[in-house]
Amino acid sequence: MFKRFQSQSFFIALLIVSMIIWGGGWPAGKAVSSYGSVMNILTSRYLLVVLSMFPFILWYKIDFSIKKEGWIHLFCAGALLAFYSFLFLDGLQKGFAGAAGVLVTTLNPIFA
């Protein structure tokens, strides 16, 4: 029983830390959105992600092949993520980070 309590407490602590980090994304996004246009920031962000993942793919020898039926899912997921990122930064340029965090936190469960 004691081990279960320890693992549950650790899990709850990790949840709290993850929510603090997630909540910090809104003010960080607001700060980043003031440095340039949304398209330039997104291009830099995704280019940095690809360049930083490439060495890990080579180091761990990860198979990078995608099945034919997976391409449509990959394209849809990528387009939706890019659209969300665009709206995220564009909205933060025009609005307030605190209000955005509250609206998204309360409206996501309702829409889901």
Side-chain angles (χ1 to χ4, degrees), residues 20 24-25 29 31 36 61 67 85 94:
I20 290 170
K61 298 174 182 154
K67 296 179 182 177
S85 297
K94 298 175 176 136

PDB file of all heavy atoms in Angstrom, residues 20 24-25 29 31 36 61 67 85 94:
ATOM      1  N   ILE A  20       1.934  23.501 -14.753  1.00  0.00           N
ATOM      2  CA  ILE A  20       2.650  24.771 -14.590  1.00  0.00           C
ATOM      3  C   ILE A  20       3.417  25.101 -15.866  1.00  0.00           C
ATOM      4  O   ILE A  20       3.387  26.240 -16.348  1.00  0.00           O
ATOM      5  CB  ILE A  20       3.580  24.710 -13.364  1.00  0.00           C
ATOM      6  CG1 ILE A  20       2.752  24.685 -12.081  1.00  0.00           C
ATOM      7  CG2 ILE A  20       4.548  25.887 -13.357  1.00  0.00           C
ATOM      8  CD1 ILE A  20       3.547  24.397 -10.825  1.00  0.00           C
ATOM      9  N   GLY A  24       2.684  28.170 -18.499  1.00  0.00           N
ATOM     10  CA  GLY A  24       3.726  29.129 -18.876  1.00  0.00           C
ATOM     11  C   GLY A  24       3.868  29.293 -20.371  1.00  0.00           C
ATOM     12  O   GLY A  24       4.507  30.244 -20.845  1.00  0.00           O
ATOM     13  N   GLY A  25       3.279  28.385 -21.132  1.00  0.00           N
ATOM     14  CA  GLY A  25       3.347  28.490 -22.591  1.00  0.00           C
ATOM     15  C   GLY A  25       2.608  29.693 -23.139  1.00  0.00           C
ATOM     16  O   GLY A  25       2.990  30.253 -24.174  1.00  0.00           O
ATOM     17  N   GLY A  29       4.430  32.344 -25.312  1.00  0.00           N
ATOM     18  CA  GLY A  29       3.945  32.561 -26.678  1.00  0.00           C
ATOM     19  C   GLY A  29       3.679  34.027 -26.959  1.00  0.00           C
ATOM     20  O   GLY A  29       3.949  34.524 -28.055  1.00  0.00           O
ATOM     21  N   ALA A  31       5.237  36.535 -25.559  1.00  0.00           N
ATOM     22  CA  ALA A  31       6.540  37.187 -25.703  1.00  0.00           C
ATOM     23  C   ALA A  31       7.164  36.874 -27.058  1.00  0.00           C
ATOM     24  O   ALA A  31       7.695  37.762 -27.729  1.00  0.00           O
ATOM     25  CB  ALA A  31       7.465  36.742 -24.572  1.00  0.00           C
ATOM     26  N   GLY A  36       8.217  38.987 -34.359  1.00  0.00           N
ATOM     27  CA  GLY A  36       8.137  38.956 -35.805  1.00  0.00           C
ATOM     28  C   GLY A  36       6.766  38.522 -36.268  1.00  0.00           C
ATOM     29  O   GLY A  36       5.827  38.391 -35.474  1.00  0.00           O
ATOM     30  N   LYS A  61      18.945   5.199 -35.031  1.00  0.00           N
ATOM     31  CA  LYS A  61      18.665   4.408 -36.234  1.00  0.00           C
ATOM     32  C   LYS A  61      17.178   4.089 -36.357  1.00  0.00           C
ATOM     33  O   LYS A  61      16.772   2.934 -36.543  1.00  0.00           O
ATOM     34  CB  LYS A  61      19.503   3.139 -36.245  1.00  0.00           C
ATOM     35  CG  LYS A  61      20.984   3.434 -36.269  1.00  0.00           C
ATOM     36  CD  LYS A  61      21.801   2.194 -36.144  1.00  0.00           C
ATOM     37  CE  LYS A  61      23.263   2.607 -36.121  1.00  0.00           C
ATOM     38  NZ  LYS A  61      24.092   1.669 -35.431  1.00  0.00           N
ATOM     39  N   LYS A  67       3.988   4.010 -44.227  1.00  0.00           N
ATOM     40  CA  LYS A  67       3.134   3.218 -45.107  1.00  0.00           C
ATOM     41  C   LYS A  67       2.244   4.136 -45.938  1.00  0.00           C
ATOM     42  O   LYS A  67       1.950   5.270 -45.546  1.00  0.00           O
ATOM     43  CB  LYS A  67       2.276   2.267 -44.284  1.00  0.00           C
ATOM     44  CG  LYS A  67       3.075   1.246 -43.525  1.00  0.00           C
ATOM     45  CD  LYS A  67       2.176   0.355 -42.705  1.00  0.00           C
ATOM     46  CE  LYS A  67       3.006  -0.634 -41.906  1.00  0.00           C
ATOM     47  NZ  LYS A  67       2.178  -1.473 -41.056  1.00  0.00           N
ATOM     48  N   SER A  85      -1.121  26.127 -34.479  1.00  0.00           N
ATOM     49  CA  SER A  85       0.022  26.964 -34.108  1.00  0.00           C
ATOM     50  C   SER A  85      -0.120  28.369 -34.679  1.00  0.00           C
ATOM     51  O   SER A  85       0.210  29.357 -34.011  1.00  0.00           O
ATOM     52  CB  SER A  85       1.319  26.331 -34.601  1.00  0.00           C
ATOM     53  OG  SER A  85       1.526  25.093 -33.986  1.00  0.00           O
ATOM     54  N   LYS A  94      -2.717  39.524 -30.987  1.00  0.00           N
ATOM     55  CA  LYS A  94      -3.844  40.448 -30.937  1.00  0.00           C
ATOM     56  C   LYS A  94      -4.542  40.502 -29.585  1.00  0.00           C
ATOM     57  O   LYS A  94      -5.283  41.424 -29.313  1.00  0.00           O
ATOM     58  CB  LYS A  94      -4.860  40.073 -32.009  1.00  0.00           C
ATOM     59  CG  LYS A  94      -4.297  40.184 -33.399  1.00  0.00           C
ATOM     60  CD  LYS A  94      -5.246  39.701 -34.436  1.00  0.00           C
ATOM     61  CE  LYS A  94      -4.638  39.947 -35.797  1.00  0.00           C
ATOM     62  NZ  LYS A  94      -4.757  38.868 -36.698  1.00  0.00           N
TER      63      LYS A  94
END
